[in-house]
Amino acid sequence: MENYAEQLIQLGQERKSIICIGLDPEIEKIPLQGKLEDVIFTFYQNILQAMVDENVKPTIVKPNYAFYFQHGFEGLRALHKIIEFCHEQDIPVILDIKVGDIKKTAEAYARGIFNWLNADAVTVNTYMGRDVLEPFFQYCKKGKGVYSLLKTSNPSSGDVQDLELREGRRVY
């Protein structure tokens, strides 16, 4: 079995692209009407299907969990359906959730993210230490990926991430 990084490299070469599309629904900007779950799913399904039809298949997509979670079960069902659709189209999915909690809780997140949602990769906030990451590593052996949050681009990221430690080293 190829590891996650090898899978992405191969897809990038095959598709001659490293396109990653964020799938973060802002309902008020989606020009569709109907049941929330269907609106979200149909909107992204149409975009991704159009790209597939035009042979511009993205190498990977990255839905941000919060944009779905805020809509409760309908949002989570839409996310689940989007991930299934992406897999049908051979498009891997990074779940952008930035989880970061103690080992037992991280184990529960890993099971939900990889076993229920069936994401291919996840973003993890590792500021609490190694035990935040460890539960995700068993899934790496099964071809899944983990992105560790180190330095972010939000305006106040430097408040903590840029703190100078010793010898000119920074937190990140």
Side-chain angles (χ1 to χ4, degrees):
M1 170 181 287
E2 289 179 304
N3 71 36
Y4 174 77
E6 290 168 343
Q7 292 173 35
L8 281 188
I9 290 169
Q10 181 179 345
L11 280 176
Q13 291 170 344
E14 288 172 7
R15 296 177 184 168
K16 296 178 178 45
S17 169
I18 55 170
I19 294 174
C20 175
I21 299 176
L23 305 178
D24 306 341
E26 295 180 56
I27 297 304
E28 64 279 0
K29 295 181 180 178
I30 296 177
L32 301 174
Q33 300 294 316
K35 186 176 159 189
L36 187 68
E37 174 183 340
D38 296 334
V39 165
I40 295 170
F41 173 70
T42 302
F43 181 70
Y44 287 117
Q45 179 190 34
N46 289 346
I47 291 169
L48 294 169
Q49 188 64 58
M51 293 181 79
V52 168
D53 291 348
E54 291 297 320
N55 204 24
V56 188
K57 190 183 289 190
T59 302
I60 197 158
V61 296
K62 186 177 67 66
N64 186 303
Y65 182 82
F67 284 86
Y68 299 86
F69 177 70
Q70 69 180 333
H71 299 296
F73 293 117
E74 282 191 281
L76 293 177
R77 284 190 298 267
L79 175 61
H80 195 265
K81 288 167 65 173
I82 289 166
I83 292 172
E84 286 179 338
F85 176 77
C86 287
H87 288 158
E88 290 168 7
Q89 302 300 320
D90 192 30
I91 303 169
V93 177
I94 302 168
L95 186 62
D96 186 5
I97 189 170
K98 300 173 192 81
V99 291
D101 211 327
I102 61 173
K103 187 173 184 178
K104 193 164 202 72
T105 307
E107 289 170 348
Y109 275 123
R111 281 191 299 273
I113 290 163
F114 291 129
N115 295 342
W116 178 64
L117 284 172
N118 198 25
D120 299 290
V122 64
T123 58
V124 179
N125 184 338
T126 57
Y127 278 114
M128 288 180 65
R130 181 184 64 240
D131 56 334
V132 169
L133 277 170
E134 287 175 347
F136 294 91
F137 290 157
Q138 66 179 312
Y139 293 93
C140 292
K141 295 174 185 173
K142 300 174 184 177
K144 302 292 186 175
V146 177
Y147 291 84
S148 178
L149 177 68
L150 299 173
K151 176 67 174 135
T152 63
S153 61
N154 58 300
S156 65
S157 69
D159 294 354
V160 173
Q161 296 169 20
D162 291 342
L163 287 176
E164 194 166 324
L165 302 174
R166 58 177 179 239
E167 301 169 12
R169 296 185 73 188
R170 307 238 180 240
V171 170
Y172 72 88

Coordinates of all heavy atoms in Angstrom, one line a residue, residues 39-100:
V39 N -28.9 21.4 -0.6 CA -28.3 22.6 -1.1 C -26.7 22.5 -1.1 O -26.1 22.8 -2.1 CB -28.8 23.9 -0.4 CG1 -27.9 25.1 -0.7 CG2 -30.2 24.1 -0.7
I40 N -26.2 22.2 0.1 CA -24.8 22.1 0.3 C -24.2 21.0 -0.7 O -23.2 21.3 -1.4 CB -24.4 21.9 1.7 CG1 -24.8 23.0 2.6 CG2 -22.9 21.6 1.8 CD1 -24.6 22.8 4.1
F41 N -24.8 19.8 -0.6 CA -24.2 18.8 -1.4 C -24.3 19.0 -2.9 O -23.3 18.9 -3.6 CB -24.9 17.4 -1.1 CG -24.5 16.3 -2.0 CD1 -23.2 15.8 -1.9 CD2 -25.4 15.8 -2.9 CE1 -22.8 14.8 -2.8 CE2 -25.0 14.8 -3.8 CZ -23.7 14.3 -3.7
T42 N -25.5 19.5 -3.3 CA -25.7 19.7 -4.8 C -24.7 20.8 -5.3 O -24.2 20.7 -6.4 CB -27.1 20.1 -5.1 OG1 -28.0 19.0 -4.6 CG2 -27.4 20.3 -6.5
F43 N -24.5 21.9 -4.5 CA -23.6 22.9 -4.9 C -22.2 22.4 -5.2 O -21.7 22.7 -6.3 CB -23.6 24.0 -3.8 CG -22.8 25.2 -4.1 CD1 -23.1 26.1 -5.1 CD2 -21.6 25.4 -3.4 CE1 -22.3 27.2 -5.4 CE2 -20.8 26.5 -3.7 CZ -21.1 27.4 -4.7
Y44 N -21.7 21.7 -4.2 CA -20.3 21.2 -4.4 C -20.3 20.0 -5.4 O -19.3 19.9 -6.2 CB -19.7 20.8 -3.1 CG -19.3 22.1 -2.3 CD1 -19.9 22.4 -1.1 CD2 -18.4 23.0 -2.9 CE1 -19.6 23.5 -0.4 CE2 -18.1 24.2 -2.2 CZ -18.7 24.4 -1.0 OH -18.4 25.6 -0.3
Q45 N -21.3 19.2 -5.5 CA -21.3 18.1 -6.5 C -21.3 18.7 -7.9 O -20.5 18.2 -8.7 CB -22.6 17.3 -6.3 CG -22.7 16.1 -7.3 CD -24.0 15.4 -7.2 OE1 -25.0 16.1 -6.9 NE2 -24.0 14.1 -7.5
N46 N -22.1 19.8 -8.1 CA -22.1 20.4 -9.4 C -20.7 21.0 -9.8 O -20.3 20.8 -11.0 CB -23.2 21.5 -9.5 CG -24.6 20.9 -9.5 OD1 -24.8 19.7 -9.7 ND2 -25.5 21.8 -9.2
I47 N -20.1 21.6 -8.9 CA -18.8 22.2 -9.2 C -17.8 21.1 -9.5 O -17.1 21.2 -10.5 CB -18.3 23.1 -8.0 CG1 -19.1 24.3 -7.9 CG2 -16.8 23.4 -8.1 CD1 -18.9 25.1 -6.6
L48 N -17.7 20.1 -8.6 CA -16.7 19.1 -8.8 C -17.0 18.2 -10.1 O -16.1 17.9 -10.8 CB -16.7 18.2 -7.6 CG -16.1 18.8 -6.3 CD1 -16.4 18.0 -5.1 CD2 -14.6 19.2 -6.5
Q49 N -18.3 18.0 -10.3 CA -18.7 17.2 -11.5 C -18.3 18.0 -12.8 O -17.8 17.4 -13.8 CB -20.1 16.9 -11.6 CG -20.5 15.9 -12.7 CD -19.8 14.6 -12.5 OE1 -20.0 13.9 -11.5 NE2 -19.1 14.2 -13.5
A50 N -18.5 19.3 -12.8 CA -18.1 20.1 -13.9 C -16.6 20.1 -14.2 O -16.1 20.0 -15.3 CB -18.6 21.6 -13.7
M51 N -15.8 20.1 -13.1 CA -14.4 20.0 -13.2 C -14.0 18.6 -13.8 O -13.1 18.5 -14.7 CB -13.7 20.2 -11.9 CG -13.9 21.6 -11.4 SD -13.0 21.9 -9.8 CE -11.3 22.1 -10.4
V52 N -14.6 17.6 -13.3 CA -14.3 16.2 -13.8 C -14.7 16.1 -15.3 O -13.9 15.6 -16.1 CB -15.1 15.2 -13.0 CG1 -15.1 13.8 -13.6 CG2 -14.5 15.1 -11.5
D53 N -15.9 16.7 -15.6 CA -16.3 16.6 -17.0 C -15.4 17.4 -18.0 O -15.2 17.0 -19.1 CB -17.7 17.2 -17.2 CG -18.8 16.3 -16.5 OD1 -18.4 15.1 -16.1 OD2 -19.9 16.8 -16.3
E54 N -14.7 18.4 -17.4 CA -13.8 19.2 -18.3 C -12.4 18.7 -18.1 O -11.4 19.4 -18.6 CB -13.9 20.7 -17.8 CG -15.2 21.4 -18.2 CD -15.4 21.4 -19.7 OE1 -14.5 21.7 -20.5 OE2 -16.6 21.2 -20.1
N55 N -12.2 17.6 -17.5 CA -10.9 17.0 -17.3 C -9.9 17.9 -16.5 O -8.8 18.0 -16.8 CB -10.3 16.6 -18.6 CG -9.2 15.5 -18.5 OD1 -9.3 14.7 -17.5 ND2 -8.3 15.4 -19.4
V56 N -10.5 18.6 -15.5 CA -9.7 19.5 -14.6 C -9.9 19.0 -13.2 O -10.2 19.7 -12.3 CB -10.1 20.9 -14.8 CG1 -9.2 21.8 -14.0 CG2 -10.2 21.4 -16.2
K57 N -9.8 17.7 -13.0 CA -10.1 17.1 -11.7 C -9.1 17.6 -10.7 O -7.9 17.5 -10.9 CB -10.0 15.6 -11.8 CG -10.5 14.8 -10.6 CD -10.3 13.3 -10.8 CE -11.3 12.7 -11.7 NZ -11.3 11.2 -11.7
P58 N -9.6 18.1 -9.6 CA -8.7 18.5 -8.5 C -7.9 17.3 -8.0 O -8.4 16.2 -8.0 CB -9.6 19.1 -7.4 CG -10.9 18.6 -7.7 CD -11.0 18.2 -9.2
T59 N -6.7 17.6 -7.5 CA -5.9 16.6 -6.9 C -6.4 16.2 -5.5 O -6.3 15.1 -5.1 CB -4.4 17.0 -6.8 OG1 -4.0 17.4 -8.1 CG2 -3.5 16.0 -6.2
I60 N -7.0 17.2 -4.8 CA -7.5 17.0 -3.5 C -8.5 18.1 -3.2 O -8.4 19.2 -3.7 CB -6.3 16.9 -2.5 CG1 -6.8 16.3 -1.2 CG2 -5.7 18.3 -2.3 CD1 -5.6 15.7 -0.4
V61 N -9.4 17.8 -2.2 CA -10.3 18.9 -1.7 C -10.1 18.9 -0.2 O -9.7 18.0 0.4 CB -11.8 18.6 -2.1 CG1 -12.0 18.6 -3.6 CG2 -12.3 17.3 -1.5
K62 N -10.5 20.1 0.3 CA -10.3 20.3 1.8 C -11.6 21.0 2.4 O -11.6 22.2 2.5 CB -9.1 21.2 2.0 CG -8.7 21.3 3.5 CD -7.4 22.1 3.6 CE -7.4 23.5 3.2 NZ -8.3 24.4 4.0
P63 N -12.6 20.2 2.8 CA -13.7 20.8 3.5 C -13.3 21.2 4.9 O -12.6 20.4 5.6 CB -14.8 19.8 3.4 CG -14.0 18.5 3.2 CD -12.8 18.8 2.5
N64 N -13.8 22.4 5.4 CA -13.6 22.7 6.7 C -14.8 22.3 7.6 O -15.9 22.7 7.3 CB -13.4 24.3 6.9 CG -13.0 24.7 8.3 OD1 -13.7 24.4 9.2 ND2 -11.9 25.4 8.4
Y65 N -14.5 21.5 8.5 CA -15.6 20.8 9.3 C -16.5 21.8 9.9 O -17.7 21.6 10.0 CB -14.9 20.0 10.4 CG -15.8 19.2 11.3 CD1 -16.4 18.0 10.9 CD2 -16.2 19.8 12.6 CE1 -17.2 17.3 11.7 CE2 -17.1 19.1 13.4 CZ -17.6 17.8 13.0 OH -18.5 17.2 13.8
A66 N -16.0 22.9 10.4 CA -16.9 23.9 11.1 C -18.0 24.4 10.2 O -19.1 24.7 10.7 CB -16.1 25.1 11.6
F67 N -17.8 24.6 8.9 CA -18.8 25.1 8.0 C -19.9 24.1 7.9 O -21.0 24.5 7.4 CB -18.2 25.5 6.7 CG -17.4 26.7 6.7 CD1 -16.0 26.7 7.1 CD2 -18.0 27.9 6.3 CE1 -15.3 27.9 7.1 CE2 -17.2 29.1 6.4 CZ -15.9 29.1 6.8
Y68 N -19.7 22.9 8.1 CA -20.8 21.8 8.1 C -21.4 21.7 9.5 O -22.6 21.6 9.6 CB -20.2 20.5 7.5 CG -19.6 20.7 6.2 CD1 -18.3 21.1 6.0 CD2 -20.4 20.5 5.0 CE1 -17.8 21.3 4.7 CE2 -19.9 20.7 3.8 CZ -18.6 21.1 3.6 OH -18.1 21.3 2.3
F69 N -20.6 21.6 10.5 CA -21.0 21.3 11.8 C -22.0 22.4 12.3 O -22.9 22.1 13.0 CB -19.8 21.3 12.8 CG -20.1 21.1 14.2 CD1 -20.6 19.9 14.7 CD2 -19.9 22.2 15.1 CE1 -20.9 19.8 16.0 CE2 -20.1 22.0 16.4 CZ -20.7 20.8 16.9
Q70 N -21.8 23.6 11.9 CA -22.7 24.7 12.3 C -24.1 24.5 11.9 O -25.0 25.1 12.5 CB -22.2 26.1 11.8 CG -22.3 26.2 10.3 CD -21.9 27.5 9.7 OE1 -21.8 28.5 10.5 NE2 -21.4 27.6 8.5
H71 N -24.3 23.6 11.0 CA -25.7 23.3 10.5 C -26.2 22.0 11.0 O -27.2 21.5 10.5 CB -25.7 23.3 9.0 CG -25.3 24.6 8.3 ND1 -26.0 25.8 8.5 CD2 -24.2 25.0 7.6 CE1 -25.4 26.8 7.9 NE2 -24.3 26.3 7.3
G72 N -25.6 21.5 12.1 CA -26.1 20.3 12.7 C -26.0 19.1 11.8 O -25.1 18.9 11.0
F73 N -27.0 18.2 12.1 CA -27.0 16.9 11.3 C -27.1 17.1 9.8 O -26.5 16.3 9.1 CB -28.1 16.0 11.9 CG -27.9 15.5 13.3 CD1 -28.8 15.9 14.3 CD2 -26.8 14.8 13.6 CE1 -28.6 15.5 15.6 CE2 -26.6 14.3 14.9 CZ -27.5 14.7 15.9
E74 N -27.9 18.1 9.4 CA -28.0 18.3 7.9 C -26.6 18.6 7.3 O -26.3 18.2 6.3 CB -29.0 19.4 7.6 CG -30.4 19.0 7.7 CD -31.3 20.1 7.1 OE1 -31.6 21.1 7.9 OE2 -31.7 19.9 6.0
G75 N -25.9 19.5 8.0 CA -24.5 19.9 7.5 C -23.6 18.7 7.5 O -22.8 18.5 6.6
L76 N -23.6 17.9 8.6 CA -22.7 16.7 8.7 C -23.1 15.7 7.7 O -22.2 15.0 7.1 CB -22.7 16.1 10.1 CG -22.1 17.0 11.2 CD1 -22.2 16.4 12.5 CD2 -20.7 17.4 10.8
R77 N -24.4 15.5 7.4 CA -24.8 14.5 6.4 C -24.3 15.0 5.0 O -23.9 14.2 4.2 CB -26.3 14.3 6.4 CG -26.8 13.4 7.5 CD -28.3 13.0 7.3 NE -29.2 14.1 7.4 CZ -29.8 14.6 8.5 NH1 -29.6 13.9 9.6 NH2 -30.6 15.6 8.4
A78 N -24.4 16.3 4.8 CA -23.9 16.9 3.5 C -22.4 16.6 3.4 O -22.0 16.2 2.3 CB -24.2 18.4 3.4
L79 N -21.7 16.9 4.4 CA -20.2 16.6 4.4 C -20.0 15.1 4.1 O -19.1 14.8 3.3 CB -19.6 17.0 5.8 CG -18.1 16.7 5.9 CD1 -17.3 17.4 4.9 CD2 -17.7 17.0 7.4
H80 N -20.7 14.2 4.7 CA -20.5 12.8 4.5 C -20.8 12.5 3.0 O -20.0 11.7 2.4 CB -21.4 12.0 5.4 CG -21.1 10.6 5.6 ND1 -21.7 9.6 4.8 CD2 -20.2 9.9 6.4 CE1 -21.2 8.4 5.1 NE2 -20.3 8.6 6.1
K81 N -21.8 13.0 2.5 CA -22.2 12.8 1.1 C -21.1 13.4 0.1 O -20.8 12.7 -0.9 CB -23.5 13.3 0.8 CG -24.7 12.5 1.4 CD -26.0 13.2 1.3 CE -26.6 13.5 0.0 NZ -28.0 14.0 0.0
I82 N -20.6 14.5 0.5 CA -19.5 15.1 -0.4 C -18.3 14.3 -0.4 O -17.7 14.0 -1.4 CB -19.2 16.6 0.1 CG1 -20.4 17.5 -0.2 CG2 -17.9 17.1 -0.5 CD1 -20.3 18.8 0.5
I83 N -17.9 13.8 0.8 CA -16.7 12.9 0.9 C -17.0 11.6 0.0 O -16.1 11.2 -0.7 CB -16.4 12.6 2.3 CG1 -15.9 13.8 3.0 CG2 -15.3 11.4 2.4 CD1 -15.7 13.7 4.5
E84 N -18.1 11.0 0.1 CA -18.5 9.8 -0.7 C -18.4 10.2 -2.2 O -17.8 9.4 -2.9 CB -19.9 9.3 -0.3 CG -19.9 8.6 1.0 CD -21.4 8.1 1.3 OE1 -22.3 8.7 0.7 OE2 -21.5 7.2 2.1
F85 N -19.0 11.3 -2.6 CA -18.9 11.7 -4.0 C -17.5 11.9 -4.4 O -17.1 11.4 -5.5 CB -19.7 13.0 -4.2 CG -19.6 13.5 -5.6 CD1 -20.4 12.9 -6.6 CD2 -18.8 14.5 -6.0 CE1 -20.3 13.3 -7.9 CE2 -18.7 15.0 -7.3 CZ -19.5 14.4 -8.3
C86 N -16.7 12.5 -3.6 CA -15.3 12.7 -4.0 C -14.5 11.4 -4.2 O -13.8 11.2 -5.2 CB -14.5 13.6 -2.9 SG -15.0 15.3 -3.0
H87 N -14.8 10.5 -3.3 CA -14.2 9.1 -3.5 C -14.6 8.4 -4.7 O -13.8 7.8 -5.4 CB -14.4 8.3 -2.2 CG -13.6 8.8 -1.1 ND1 -14.0 8.5 0.2 CD2 -12.5 9.5 -1.0 CE1 -13.1 9.0 1.1 NE2 -12.2 9.7 0.3
E88 N -15.9 8.6 -5.1 CA -16.4 8.0 -6.3 C -15.7 8.6 -7.5 O -15.5 7.9 -8.6 CB -17.9 8.3 -6.5 CG -18.8 7.5 -5.5 CD -20.2 8.0 -5.5 OE1 -20.6 8.9 -6.3 OE2 -21.0 7.6 -4.6
Q89 N -15.2 9.9 -7.4 CA -14.5 10.6 -8.5 C -13.0 10.5 -8.4 O -12.3 11.1 -9.1 CB -14.9 12.0 -8.5 CG -16.4 12.3 -8.7 CD -16.9 11.7 -10.0 OE1 -16.3 11.7 -11.1 NE2 -18.1 11.0 -10.0
D90 N -12.5 9.7 -7.4 CA -11.1 9.5 -7.1 C -10.4 10.8 -6.8 O -9.4 11.2 -7.3 CB -10.4 8.9 -8.3 CG -9.0 8.4 -8.0 OD1 -8.7 8.1 -6.8 OD2 -8.1 8.4 -8.9
I91 N -11.1 11.6 -5.9 CA -10.6 12.8 -5.4 C -10.4 12.7 -3.9 O -11.4 12.5 -3.1 CB -11.5 14.0 -5.7 CG1 -11.8 14.2 -7.2 CG2 -11.0 15.3 -5.1 CD1 -12.9 15.1 -7.5
P92 N -9.2 12.6 -3.4 CA -9.0 12.5 -1.9 C -9.5 13.7 -1.2 O -9.6 14.8 -1.7 CB -7.5 12.4 -1.8 CG -6.9 12.2 -3.2 CD -8.0 12.7 -4.1
V93 N -9.7 13.5 0.1 CA -10.3 14.6 1.0 C -9.4 14.8 2.2 O -9.2 13.9 3.0 CB -11.7 14.2 1.4 CG1 -12.3 15.2 2.4 CG2 -12.6 14.0 0.2
I94 N -9.0 16.1 2.4 CA -8.4 16.5 3.7 C -9.5 17.1 4.5 O -10.1 18.1 4.1 CB -7.3 17.6 3.5 CG1 -6.2 17.2 2.6 CG2 -6.8 18.0 4.9 CD1 -5.3 18.3 2.1
L95 N -9.8 16.5 5.7 CA -10.8 17.2 6.6 C -10.0 18.2 7.4 O -9.2 17.9 8.2 CB -11.5 16.1 7.5 CG -12.6 16.7 8.4 CD1 -13.7 17.3 7.5 CD2 -13.1 15.7 9.3
D96 N -10.4 19.5 7.1 CA -9.7 20.6 7.9 C -10.5 20.8 9.1 O -11.6 21.5 9.1 CB -9.8 21.8 7.0 CG -9.0 23.0 7.6 OD1 -8.4 22.8 8.6 OD2 -9.0 24.1 7.0
I97 N -10.0 20.3 10.2 CA -10.7 20.3 11.5 C -9.8 20.8 12.6 O -10.3 21.3 13.7 CB -11.4 19.0 11.9 CG1 -12.3 19.0 13.1 CG2 -10.4 17.9 12.0 CD1 -13.2 17.8 13.3
K98 N -8.5 20.7 12.4 CA -7.5 21.2 13.4 C -7.8 20.7 14.8 O -7.7 21.4 15.8 CB -7.4 22.7 13.4 CG -7.0 23.3 12.0 CD -7.1 24.8 12.0 CE -7.1 25.3 10.6 NZ -8.3 25.3 9.9
V99 N -8.1 19.4 14.9 CA -8.3 18.8 16.2 C -7.0 18.8 17.0 O -5.9 18.7 16.5 CB -8.9 17.4 16.1 CG1 -10.3 17.4 15.6 CG2 -8.0 16.5 15.3
G100 N -7.1 18.9 18.3 CA -5.9 18.9 19.2 C -6.3 18.7 20.6 O -6.5 19.7 21.3

